[in-house]
Amino acid sequence: MSNVMPVPMAPKKQPLEALFNAMYHGKRLFSDFANADVEPNFRRERFTRSGRTRELVVPNDILKGCHEFLRLFLVDFLPLNEQVVFSYRKGLSAYDSVVKHASSKSFFVCDIANFFPSVTRQRIRRTLVSAREQSPIEDFDAWLDRIVELVSVDDCLPVGFSTSPGISNSALHALDDALLVHCRQRDLIVTRYSDDIIVSGKSRGSLEGVDSMIAATLQETMLSELTLHPGKSKFLHRGVKIKLLGMVLLPNGKVSVDASVKEEIEVLLHFYAHDKGKFAARVGNDAQRAEARLAGLLNYVNTVDQGYLEKLRKKFGAASVDYFIHRSFS
């Protein structure tokens, strides 16, 4: 039997307008995709998290329809290094990025400063071009300028568009490839989750100079357009609490949720069962938001630590816990 893998067939290419109309069957106007001004079709919202205020760009229904089409027929075809990047990929989560480091003894963590806004319109364009051959859009070059316009705001990659996560993954493809080569040469493990990079090894000495290597590789591959966040890079070693992407790597190599998350979950479950007023008060006196918060936390636990989830079922009742895991609070 032959061990040669079949070469994947290129998708049958069609004009972009034909693909758009075939997808929406007249439910959306192609004229909106082709001609609508972008600026009037989104709103800007500001939110604060961990003391940092960020801007979220929220598209309206017209722009959402354009983005959904582009995601399915272009962004999903963008190349990425599946061995390194784990963010915004179907069926994967931050847990998958962390668990790869479970057997390591020493770690280096860092993150890219101002990530999405640092992905310029020019880099967005170059990134989209990398999917030209794989995308089924026949007249790709004719529509490229318009596509870049639809997925950019203020000449950079906006937080809030459904197309942005996939573009961000592929925009750093060269960095991911280079880091993987460097790390394999040194018997190190590297993963990236959006702007967070983790490198780990079997000993302290194995990570010597890795901080300089990552900084230099980032500058070289990204043409000095992106930099590491100053003051947020750090080395961690077994013997202290290893916290990666909000998760805790236990001494036995298992990944669990942080103690602060466990405390919040258990307080919410207790109040939900015994005092609905205090339950709502935990999230701005809004019971619906409190339920959505609890559901999100429990689904997070469901992806990270099944052992702890079973403890919660025993302590608070399986029916209560599973109610929040399976119910939609959108």
Side-chain angles (χ1 to χ4, degrees):
M1 181 181 294
S2 173
N3 292 321
V4 177
M5 295 292 292
V7 177
M9 295 181 62
K12 181 180 179 182
K13 293 185 178 289
Q14 299 181 54
L16 187 146
E17 183 173 1
L19 292 170
F20 186 94
N21 290 331
M23 176 175 174
Y24 287 121
H25 300 288
K27 294 178 181 178
R28 293 187 181 276
L29 299 177
F30 182 72
S31 58
D32 287 335
F33 181 94
N35 303 308
D37 289 338
V38 175
E39 186 81 23
N41 286 299
F42 67 78
R43 69 180 189 275
R44 300 174 190 263
E45 294 183 356
R46 292 188 176 274
F47 66 98
T48 301
R49 181 178 298 168
S50 302
R52 182 180 177 187
T53 300
R54 300 184 181 184
E55 182 177 86
L56 185 69
V57 180
V58 183
N60 67 4
D61 184 64
I62 290 175
L63 202 51
K64 281 182 181 178
C66 297
H67 291 158
E68 181 64 11
F69 169 78
L70 289 173
R71 189 183 64 78
L72 292 175
F73 288 92
L74 179 56
V75 175
D76 284 355
F77 290 91
L78 290 171
L80 53 83
N81 190 316
E82 296 183 352
Q83 298 178 71
V84 175
V85 63
F86 290 84
S87 45
Y88 318 125
R89 291 176 55 197
K90 187 176 181 179
L92 297 177
S93 68
Y95 170 84
D96 298 283
S97 182
V98 170
V99 77
K100 287 196 69 173
H101 303 272
S103 61
S104 296
K105 303 298 182 185
S106 293
F107 312 82
F108 175 72
V109 295
C110 59
D111 66 72
I112 299 168
N114 207 28
F115 180 31
F116 275 33
S118 295
V119 179
T120 64
R121 179 184 285 251
Q122 290 75 19
R123 182 161 296 279
I124 292 170
R125 183 185 181 90
R126 291 195 298 268
T127 300
L128 295 175
V129 167
S130 68
R132 177 195 281 124
E133 298 305 317
Q134 290 304 312
S135 169
I137 299 174
E138 182 178 74
D139 45 353
F140 178 92
D141 290 336
W143 287 100
L144 179 57
D145 288 343
R146 175 58 176 170
I147 292 170
V148 173
E149 182 182 8
L150 286 168
V151 300
S152 307
V153 171
D154 300 331
D155 290 328
C156 65
L157 193 64
V159 177
F161 284 5
S162 64
T163 46
S164 293
I167 293 173
S168 76
N169 274 353
S170 187
L172 270 63
H173 191 190
L175 171 68
D176 296 335
D177 286 351
L179 287 179
L180 185 61
V181 170
H182 286 307
C183 288
R184 280 180 169 173
Q185 290 172 347
R186 299 176 55 172
D187 196 23
L188 299 174
I189 298 168
V190 58
T191 61
R192 179 172 67 85
Y193 194 86
S194 188
D195 56 349
D196 290 291
I197 299 170
I198 306 171
V199 177
S200 68
K202 298 176 181 177
S203 66
R204 291 172 182 254
S206 66
L207 294 180
E208 184 177 352
V210 73
D211 49 346
S212 299
M213 179 273 288
I214 292 177
T217 304
L218 179 64
Q219 292 298 298
E220 180 182 351
T221 57
M222 296 293 107
L223 307 178
S224 299
E225 294 172 8
L226 290 88
T227 59
L228 293 181
H229 198 297
K232 295 194 70 174
S233 300
K234 56 186 175 181
F235 289 91
L236 302 168
H237 308 283
R238 293 286 189 179
V240 300
K241 183 178 182 180
I242 305 297
K243 190 173 180 180
L244 304 171
L245 301 182
M247 285 164 270
V248 177
L249 195 55
L250 302 175
N252 61 4
K254 290 186 177 180
V255 178
S256 187
V257 295
D258 191 57
S260 61
V261 176
K262 292 181 179 180
E263 180 182 9
E264 183 179 1
I265 289 172
E266 295 189 30
V267 168
L268 284 171
L269 282 171
H270 173 80
F271 284 148
Y272 182 77
H274 301 287
D275 192 327
K276 291 296 196 295
K278 289 184 177 179
F279 175 77
R282 297 288 297 188
V283 187
N285 290 312
D286 187 326
Q288 186 173 1
R289 284 181 58 200
E291 290 190 11
R293 171 66 177 169
L294 181 53
L297 290 171
L298 286 171
N299 276 286
Y300 169 59
V301 170
N302 192 32
T303 64
V304 174
D305 191 341
Q306 287 291 319
Y308 176 59
L309 193 65
E310 285 305 311
K311 290 181 180 179
L312 290 174
R313 288 189 174 111
K314 291 177 181 179
K315 184 174 181 178
F316 296 99
S320 295
V321 172
D322 291 340
Y323 167 79
F324 285 99
I325 290 176
H326 298 301
R327 181 183 166 189
S328 172
F329 290 89
S330 59

